[in-house]
Amino acid sequence: MRKAMTLSTGIDPLDRKLDGGIHPGSIVAVVTPPEAQVEPLLVASINRRPTHYFTTVKTEDGTRRQLDRLADEPRLERLEHVGIEGALSTILSHTESLGDGHDVIVDVMDPLENDLSMTRYSTFLSDLSQCLLDTDSIGLLACLDSGNEPDNRELTLTIADYVLRLVPERGSKKLAYYLEVPKATGITLTENERVFKIDLGRDVRIDRSRDI
């Protein structure tokens, strides 16, 4: 029986907007500018739930260093550079044996969105969604908002249950952002509730207590 609960995003103001967090079994598209530090949004819950982290363009060592700066003891079940060729089968082969309540992170999706036919990419997202549903897990897909949209980006946003978009604050003298929630399946949000200012250092909390 599906759990009637939510899992914390680790982002306090976002959890409040979403009535506690993300529903298990969901795909979340996290859309950010290339210059933004996306890792805090992706791994805010990394000390809360075991995480399987797949990177397409970043090295494993570089990714691990970034994660170690964000969390004392990140709960990494797997960290793997999957590249582009064969990435889909590699990711699915591991997610098919997910434990209950795990997080799956793919960083970044852009090469896969560009390199694959719509049919193959749609099948991948459908298979991933089923794995997440079967295990009450969450999948976070990092997508770059570079102005040059990949061929299958619209498909990513259509299939995703939640879409989070990080938008730089125009005219700000320091690095400041708004977080938009253009899509949250099952949640009713007003236009004003869908956009709020976010401080990546203050609002995105990393639980270092390991009290899961």
Side-chain angles (χ1 to χ4, degrees):
M1 180 180 297
R2 183 126 323 269
K3 302 182 182 76
M5 59 173 289
T6 56
L7 299 176
S8 173
T9 65
I11 306 168
D12 287 332
L14 180 59
D15 281 350
R16 290 193 293 270
K17 301 285 185 185
L18 300 180
D19 296 334
I22 300 292
H23 288 283
S26 296
I27 288 179
V28 184
V30 183
V31 185
T32 66
E35 69 276 11
Q37 186 184 5
V38 66
E39 287 78 20
L41 292 180
L42 293 178
V43 302
S45 59
I46 199 169
N47 272 2
R48 288 177 169 75
R49 296 186 292 276
T51 300
H52 302 254
Y53 199 114
F54 303 98
T55 171
T56 58
V57 296
K58 300 177 183 177
T59 66
E60 293 179 17
D61 287 344
T63 301
R64 190 176 297 278
R65 285 194 297 270
Q66 288 178 320
L67 299 182
D68 286 342
R69 285 196 293 267
L70 292 170
D72 291 335
E73 296 182 75
R75 300 191 66 194
L76 284 174
E77 294 292 306
R78 175 175 296 275
L79 170 58
E80 183 170 346
H81 172 79
V82 294
I84 301 172
E85 185 176 351
L88 301 191
S89 58
T90 299
I91 293 170
L92 289 177
S93 69
H94 294 305
T95 56
E96 285 173 356
S97 58
L98 277 179
D100 288 345
H102 288 200
D103 283 359
V104 175
I105 295 174
V106 183
D107 181 15
V108 291
M109 293 300 296
D110 296 52
L112 305 182
E113 291 172 315
N114 259 334
D115 194 57
L116 302 170
S117 70
M118 180 178 292
T119 300
R120 283 191 63 204
Y121 186 63
S122 176
T123 299
F124 164 73
L125 291 180
S126 177
D127 290 345
L128 175 62
S129 178
Q130 189 59 55
C131 290
L132 299 173
L133 285 168
D134 290 342
T135 57
D136 285 317
S137 299
I138 290 176
L140 297 104
L141 310 182
C143 305
L144 296 181
D145 185 10
S146 62
N148 185 19
E149 189 171 279
D151 294 340
N152 288 315
R153 174 59 53 80
E154 185 175 348
L155 186 58
T156 302
L157 302 182
T158 298
I159 292 180
D161 302 284
Y162 298 81
V163 177
L164 310 179
R165 187 180 296 274
L166 197 63
V167 180
E169 182 182 14
R170 294 182 178 178
S172 176
K173 294 182 179 179
K174 65 176 184 177
L175 202 58
Y177 296 98
Y178 285 93
L179 188 63
E180 297 181 353
V181 189
K183 183 178 183 181
T185 302
I187 303 293
T188 301
L189 298 173
T190 66
E191 287 302 313
N192 288 337
E193 290 173 329
R194 289 182 183 275
V195 183
F196 55 94
K197 196 168 184 179
I198 186 171
D199 185 325
L200 292 179
R202 181 188 64 196
D203 296 323
V204 181
R205 67 184 190 278
I206 303 295
D207 185 355
R208 302 177 188 273
S209 69
R210 296 304 300 273
D211 294 331
I212 306 303

